[in-house]
């Protein structure tokens, strides 16, 4: 996109800083007045701030209809050291505005939902005073994501990149003193923070290489010089893109840095929805698509990106099959679906990646928020039925365990229907949105890499299977606990956002509907040389049949052959033996990382803390203190208070000085 002068920028484009300023204004108002005016004020201000940001994104969308080339909107000179100049400038183009609409639009519905959800959650956790803090963090999350997607250079993008990492830490650990042993939530937040720092190291190295070889970090300058670098020293560009991929594996939870995302379920459900659908995890996919001009010059890097995505998609899907926590199933599903997007971006199908990113934002936000509705219903049912103890006399009832549910279809009918909509969309059932976006990726894989195609097709089958399993365990069959039997539907502030997201999940396929290809024509103004989208009826038919097969198998196993009628009844898949144990234990990857990295680090820390710090360093400090004390005690005899002693010392001192001067001469 050619740069334009400020005089040539459309007035509508100059409004772009407000996509960041409105959420910042919302959090400032809540910091200043939220405590005074209460929960309704805090939730309304945060939601209205996000709505205003969405309004700005819509304004930019309509302005791009007549000027699709977009513009770079300068705001201020940020860094100027010699010849190195970095401007804080906003990029308005079809790709950035697409992300702005997704972040603010889906984020708005999650904010509205959170206003009702957190009213109950802060009371359930015994601290209503944290309600305002939650929405301060929530608005900050939106602001940081907007900085990331609106940046006109990689360094400004990195500010947003780090900002969403900070917000994820704050929100995952929102109830930091809760969880197993009172530290589990804090550990989950720390894990997310540390793992993402590993990925951020890779992105930083990529930025250092960019500045070293291009002398700039602006998108336009980097993309313009990249072909010459690829021709002269292709190894440098390969290293640059692979280090960038390391950052992507952190933010978008791909192999090997995916391990933080399942533990992110420690945060309140609206946090899970915002992270998984609209903000943090989409950042890596956006980075690869934005950097298409670099990756297209390095086929080896594209191949690595494709395989990382495809293997992650299948690997995470196998783990989702054996989970019982309703949110953890969806967490591994997110990792798997991000694998689809990353694989598509690796194959040069940026439009397909963005299409699936958008539809996934709709139905995954729907599924997480609907899961939150289920959890609220079961929690309330548990409180009504048992007060402080479940039917076995324990107070550790888990409202997120699907084995404690069952039969909720009749007790929470609206939640059931929207959940079913999201599950079918995720499974790729026509004509829902997930069918069109996933089919497009499968067709690209079929044309470019058959091995990847079969991996993704197997993943599609497993996706339908674990979603079918979840539907039966949560909503089907008989009630397995008294808490589930006492569950009731939630109020409108919880259910209305679900209905809105369900509508988007149904109609989202129209964004790039075969024949019209609206999203492709929209993004081609930014993504040059993109491959034209195609609709392959045979591939579409195969994908639907595979999805139906997965759903049917789940129904046959969990609803017909072996219906789960008791919370303690073993899962039918335990018959798989070691395969089931591997999936249930997440293939022991966390344990492997703990053995390879965490334990050695803790051992080193203990060594440095005990023998080195407390022994050597404290010993040196203590020794110096001892010497000072002893020296003071020795010199104390000179301070006896007698004037004659002081006069004698002065005479001796003068005599010594004179003797020295005479001797020197």
């Amino acid at each position: 996109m050619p740069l334009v002068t400020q005089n040539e920028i459309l007035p509508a484009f100059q409004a772009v800083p407000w996509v960041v300023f409105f959420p910042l204004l919302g959090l400032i108002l809540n910091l200043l007045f939220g405590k005074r005016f209460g929960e309704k004020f805090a939730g309304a201000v945060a939601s209205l701030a996000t709505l205003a940001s969405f309004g700005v994104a819509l304004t930019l969308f309509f302005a791009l209809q007549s000027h699709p080339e977009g513009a770079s909107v300068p705001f201020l000179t940020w860094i100027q050291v010699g010849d190195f100049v970095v401007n804080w400038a906003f990029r308005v183009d079809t790709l950035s505005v697409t992300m702005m609409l997704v972040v603010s639009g889906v984020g708005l519905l999650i904010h509205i939902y959170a206003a009702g959800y957190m009213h109950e959650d802060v009371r359930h956790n015994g601290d209503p005073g944290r309600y305002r803090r939650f929405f301060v963090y929530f608005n900050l999350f939106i602001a940081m994501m907007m900085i990331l997607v609106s940046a006109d250079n990689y360094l400004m993008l990195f500010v947003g990149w780090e900002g969403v990492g900070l917000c994820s830490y704050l929100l995952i650990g929102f109830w930091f003193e809760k969880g197993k042993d009172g530290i589990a939530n804090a550990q989950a937040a720390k894990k997310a923070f540390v793992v993402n720092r590993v990925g951020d190291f890779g992105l930083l190295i990529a930025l250092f290489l960019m500045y070293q070889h291009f002398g700039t970090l602006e998108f336009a300058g980097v993309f313009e010089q990249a072909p010459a670098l690829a021709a002269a020293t292709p190894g440098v560009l390969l290293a640059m893109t692979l280090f960038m991929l390391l950052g992507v594996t952190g933010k978008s939870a791909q192999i090997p840095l995916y391990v933080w995302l399942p533990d992110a379920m420690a945060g309140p459900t609206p946090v899970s929805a915002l992270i998984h659908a609209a903000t943090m995890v989409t950042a890596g996919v956006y980075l690869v698509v934005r950097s298409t001009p670099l990756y297209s010059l390095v086929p080896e890097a594209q191949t690595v990106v494709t395989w990382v995505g495809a293997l992650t998609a299948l690997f995470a899907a196998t783990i989702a099959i054996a989970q019982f926590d309703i949110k953890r199933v969806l967490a591994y599903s997110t990792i798997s679906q991000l694998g689809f997007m990353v694989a598509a971006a690796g194959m040069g199908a940026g439009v397909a990646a963005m299409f699936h990113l958008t539809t996934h934002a709709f139905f995954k936000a729907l599924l997480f928020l609907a899961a939150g509705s289920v959890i609220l219903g079961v929690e309330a049912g548990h409180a009504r039925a048992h007060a402080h103890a479940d039917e076995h006399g324990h107070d550790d009832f888990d409202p997120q365990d699907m084995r404690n549910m069952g039969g909720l279809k009749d007790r929470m009918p609206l939640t059931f229907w929207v959940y079913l909509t999201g599950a079918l969309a995720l499974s790729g059932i026509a004509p829902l949105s997930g069918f069109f976006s996933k089919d497009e990726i499968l067709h690209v894989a079929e044309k470019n890499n058959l091995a990847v195609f079969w991996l993704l097709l197997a993943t599609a089958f497993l996706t339908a299977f674990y979603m079918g399993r979840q539907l039966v365990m949560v909503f089907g069959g008989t009630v397995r606990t008294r808490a589930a039997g006492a569950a009731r539907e939630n109020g409108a502030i919880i259910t209305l956002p679900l209905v809105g997201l369900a509508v988007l999940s149904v109609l989202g396929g129209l964004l790039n509907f075969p024949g019209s290809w609206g999203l492709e024509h929209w993004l081609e103004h930014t993504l040059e040389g993109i491959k034209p989208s195609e609709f392959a009826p045979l591939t579409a038919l195969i994908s639907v049949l595979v999805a139906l097969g997965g759903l049917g198998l789940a129904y046959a196993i969990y609803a017909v052959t072996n219906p789960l009628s008791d919370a303690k009844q073993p899962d039918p898949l335990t018959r798989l033996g070691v395969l089931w144990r591997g999936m249930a234990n997440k293939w022991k990857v966390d344990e492997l990382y703990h053995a390879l990295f965490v334990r050695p680090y803790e051992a080193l820390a203990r060594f440095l803390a005990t023998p080195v710090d407390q022994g050597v360093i404290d010993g040196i400090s203590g020794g110096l203190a001892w010497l000072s004390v002893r020296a003071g005690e020795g010199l104390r005899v000179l301070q006896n208070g007698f004037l004659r002693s002081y006069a004698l010392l002065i005479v001796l001192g003068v005599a010594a000085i004179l003797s020295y001067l005479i001797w020197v001469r």
Side-chain angles (χ1 to χ4, degrees), residues 230-272:
T233 53
V236 172
L237 197 57
L238 175 63
M240 191 184 301
T241 50
L242 290 181
F243 275 118
M244 192 181 296
L245 174 61
L246 180 59
V248 171
T249 63
K251 276 293 180 291
S252 288
Q254 300 292 283
I255 292 173
L257 300 180
Y258 71 91
V259 291
W260 68 271
L261 191 56
D263 289 358
M265 299 303 97
T269 296
V271 174
S272 304

Side-chain angles (χ1 to χ4, degrees), residues 484-619:
R488 299 291 183 271
E489 189 61 87
N490 293 289
I493 196 169
I494 297 293
T495 55
L496 285 180
L498 301 182
V499 173
L501 288 166
V503 172
L504 291 173
S505 299
V506 172
L507 302 179
L510 296 176
L511 290 173
N512 205 40
F513 194 77
S516 62
W517 305 118
L519 186 62
E520 177 187 326
H521 296 318
W522 170 255
L523 291 177
E524 67 185 5
H525 298 290
T526 301
L527 303 176
E528 298 179 359
I530 58 176
K531 300 175 182 178
S533 301
E534 297 178 8
F535 180 72
L538 180 59
T539 304
L541 176 62
I542 292 173
S543 67
V544 170
L545 292 176
V546 165
L548 290 173
L551 290 170
L553 181 61
Y555 182 80
I557 292 176
Y558 288 90
V560 179
T561 306
N562 190 0
L564 296 174
S565 57
D566 183 81
K568 292 194 172 184
Q569 184 177 348
D571 192 287
L573 294 185
T574 54
R575 302 169 190 169
L576 296 177
V578 66
L579 187 60
W580 165 263
R581 291 193 294 274
M583 296 187 295
N585 292 319
K586 301 166 286 186
W587 301 114
K588 296 285 188 179
V589 174
D590 284 276
E591 289 79 0
L592 175 64
Y593 285 2
H594 194 82
L596 292 179
F597 304 110
V598 178
R599 286 180 186 169
Y601 177 82
E602 290 176 343
L604 177 62
R606 283 192 295 269
F607 170 74
L608 293 176
T610 306
V612 176
D613 185 32
Q614 296 178 5
V616 178
I617 296 177
D618 286 359

Side-chain angles (χ1 to χ4, degrees), residues 248-418:
V248 171
T249 63
K251 276 293 180 291
S252 288
Q254 300 292 283
I255 292 173
L257 300 180
Y258 71 91
V259 291
W260 68 271
L261 191 56
D263 289 358
M265 299 303 97
T269 296
V271 174
S272 304
L274 195 63
I275 289 177
H276 286 250
T279 55
M280 185 155 168
V281 297
T282 63
V285 179
Y286 169 75
L287 178 62
V288 177
V289 175
R290 172 62 76 185
S291 304
T292 297
L294 300 181
Y295 282 96
S296 62
L297 296 170
V298 195
E300 298 86 353
Q302 287 185 305
T303 301
V304 175
V305 172
T306 300
W307 278 102
V308 166
L311 292 174
T312 302
L314 181 63
F315 184 76
T318 63
I319 299 176
I321 290 173
Q323 303 305 305
F324 292 106
D325 186 303
I326 187 173
K327 288 171 60 178
R328 196 168 286 267
V329 173
L330 299 178
Y332 281 105
S333 172
T334 297
I335 298 171
S336 181
Q337 296 305 304
L338 288 166
F340 272 86
M341 302 172 210
V342 171
M347 291 182 286
V351 174
M354 290 301 300
F355 187 23
H356 198 51
L357 182 152
T358 305
T359 61
H360 179 265
F362 299 155
F363 55 72
K364 189 52 65 70
L366 170 61
L367 287 168
F368 266 110
L369 298 187
S373 178
V374 170
I375 294 166
L376 283 178
V378 174
E379 280 180 345
H382 178 62
R384 283 191 293 268
H386 309 291
H388 302 293
D390 67 12
E391 56 264 44
H392 302 293
H394 304 294
D395 59 359
D396 58 353
F397 178 81
D398 185 358
Q400 296 183 194
D401 193 325
M402 297 187 296
R403 291 169 292 190
N404 292 330
M405 300 175 188
L408 294 181
K409 174 180 178 294
D410 299 324
R411 289 155 183 80
M412 305 181 71
L414 180 56
T415 298
F416 164 69
W417 285 110
V418 296

Side-chain angles (χ1 to χ4, degrees), residues 450-474:
L450 274 178
V452 169
F453 168 76
W454 288 111
L455 279 178
L456 296 181
L457 195 62
T459 303
F461 174 81
L462 296 179
T463 301
F465 178 80
Y466 64 67
M467 290 311 299
R469 171 180 180 263
Q470 187 176 64
L471 284 169
V472 174
M473 292 187 71
V474 175

Side-chain angles (χ1 to χ4, degrees), residues 211 239 340 555 627 640 646:
Y211 177 67
F340 272 86
Y555 182 80
L627 287 175
N640 55 17
Y646 299 153

Side-chain angles (χ1 to χ4, degrees), residues 57-79:
L58 275 179
T59 301
L60 298 174
F61 170 79
F62 289 119
L64 283 170
Q65 302 296 324
S66 57
H67 293 77
E69 71 281 359
S72 175
V73 182
F75 183 67
L76 54 82
T77 299
W78 179 23
I79 300 173

